[in-house]
Amino acid sequence: MNEKLWGGRFTQSTDKLVEKLNASIHFDKRLYDCDIEGSIAHLKMMANEGIIAKKEADTLVAGLGKVKEKIQANEMVFSDELEDIHMHVEDALGKVSGDVARKLHTGRSRNDQVALDVRIFLKRETKSVIELLIGFQKSIVAMAMQHLGVVMPGYTHMQRAQPVLFSHHLMAYYEMFKRDIERFEGCLKRIDVMPLGAAALAGTTYPLNREFTKDVLGFGKVSDNSIDSVSDRDFVMEFISHASICMIHLSRLSEELILWSTSEFAFITISDAFTTGSSIMPQKKNPDVAELVRGKTGRVVGNLVSIMTLMKSLPLAYNKDMQEDKEPLFDTVDTLQVCLDVYTRMFGNIQVHKETMYKACTTGFLNATDLADYLVSKGMAFRSAHSVAGKAVAKALEQKKELEDLGLEELKLLSDLFETDVYDFITIEKMISRRISYGGTGLDNVKAAVEKAAGMLGIQR
Ligand code: ARG
């Protein structure tokens, strides 16, 4: 019978099928460097506190270095029998360093070990997500800067509403991703807590110096309650929640890019490098990147449901169910990172058709609100002005015209406040330039917002 690291009390070997079910090595092997980093810190602390001899710790630290090289050189054989990355590393260390390796697990359990590994991993990856988000914001702001002054129809209910600056629309996404960054930064604080020393759940009888381990690993603080330390996966749930919101932002953007690149809209053209063709229809150029990002959002939201459902009803402390946290987490990290990366690159490869955008503002009565505002400027109450402008729209619709095509005499039939200056008042340019309320689409506002963002992101102008 093959002796497991925990095999002492067992007289029968594990059923092969159970071994297969139990094994997490095929996905948790990617934690190998985090696991080794955690073990090295644990050894250094134990040597410092005299729990093991300095020489023994040195041998084991060197041995772990060799194990790491072996994994990186693809020479490590992974097997279900050894369950997970923690056992594989310890087993490999035994082969490299001999019997002294049996001291590594002193004052430690896989329960606090895995909590530590995931935190080391997620701290690194969350920082990388934040960097990717900043990179993407830079391409959004660069695009907003490049097209300052370009006008497009703003929509509500997917119906043309009022003209807005294209840059203003883009900067709405900048704001959304700014909130995503803030969320990930908040989550980072709660990830940055060092659980090692909680052992199985109750703490340990060895005189561990948890502050020392924390400092070696560069964590912000040590966890305060050993039971919570091994039971807590809030930080995983939080990360996947924030990732879901961020993916939903990307998905909404995807939807717009897909629409804008249709022949019906033709507001943008995405370059060949970021689109694909059809195997049957020679003319096709499909916005697959945007579609895939939209699709992958479902997958990340699915991961959120997985982790939430997994954690719900779990009693304290560690339960093996929690091994199932890794696949949704890893998948979320990978999906979010690749989507942010590809979007950052794609943004520099989008052509903007400003004439088409402008033209789309000239039909569909986007100036109806301003026609009402004109009457208000002449002294009419807004509700009455709204009603007059509505009648003007009905009249124009009847004659298959735009509002500015109605003659002054016709307008005067609706209200004698109309004068010739109304035509200038309801031009696209005037509509934009009058929207000076803070946060509105007026050019000065948008320029200031773009410049502020560029300054914050350190973009050269
Ligand atoms: N592979 C396990 C996990 O990912 C490690 C912790 C196992 N602990 C235990 N008591 N069996 O959750």
Side-chain angles (χ1 to χ4, degrees), residues 143 152-155 158 164-173 252-270 287 290 347 350-353 356-357 360:
M143 193 183 219
M152 67 176 282
Y155 297 82
M158 238 5 252
V164 294
L165 291 181
F166 175 59
S167 303
H168 192 49
H169 192 103
L170 286 177
M171 289 304 285
Y173 282 100
R252 296 179 74 176
L253 177 58
S254 298
E255 177 67 15
E256 299 207 302
L257 297 185
I258 293 163
L259 277 173
W260 293 348
S261 59
T262 57
S263 332
E264 285 74 9
F265 274 80
F267 286 179
I268 58 165
T269 301
I270 303 173
F347 251 54
I350 294 176
Q351 230 184 308
V352 174
H353 305 305
T356 320
M357 286 187 179

Side-chain angles (χ1 to χ4, degrees), residues 111-112 115 194-204 210 223-232 316-318:
N111 299 351
D112 57 346
M194 209 291 296
L196 205 68
L201 80 163
T204 172
R210 300 188 58 213
S223 57
D224 290 323
N225 179 299
S226 64
I227 296 178
D228 180 48
S229 306
V230 292
S231 312
D232 175 25
L316 307 186
Y318 179 84

Side-chain angles (χ1 to χ4, degrees), residues 24 28 84 86 110-111 114 233 318 320 322-323 326:
S24 54
D28 68 17
D84 56 26
H86 323 297
R110 272 188 294 160
N111 299 351
V114 74
R233 293 294 183 274
Y318 179 84
K320 191 66 173 245
M322 287 156 85
Q323 177 164 287
K326 281 164 216 67

Side-chain angles (χ1 to χ4, degrees), residues 6 14 17-25 83 320 323:
W6 40 254
T14 317
L17 196 55
V18 172
E19 232 159 37
K20 189 170 172 241
L21 178 73
N22 201 22
S24 54
I25 188 61
E83 291 181 34
K320 191 66 173 245
Q323 177 164 287

Side-chain angles (χ1 to χ4, degrees), residues 374-409:
Y374 171 86
L375 293 171
V376 171
S377 78
K378 302 280 173 172
M380 193 182 283
F382 181 75
R383 269 291 153 242
S384 317
H386 182 285
S387 158
V388 172
K391 290 197 176 91
V393 170
K395 204 179 262 251
L397 268 174
E398 207 179 274
Q399 304 176 24
K400 296 195 165 59
K401 281 179 177 175
E402 293 302 318
L403 288 173
E404 60 275 20
D405 301 327
L406 295 173
L408 188 58
E409 290 314 306

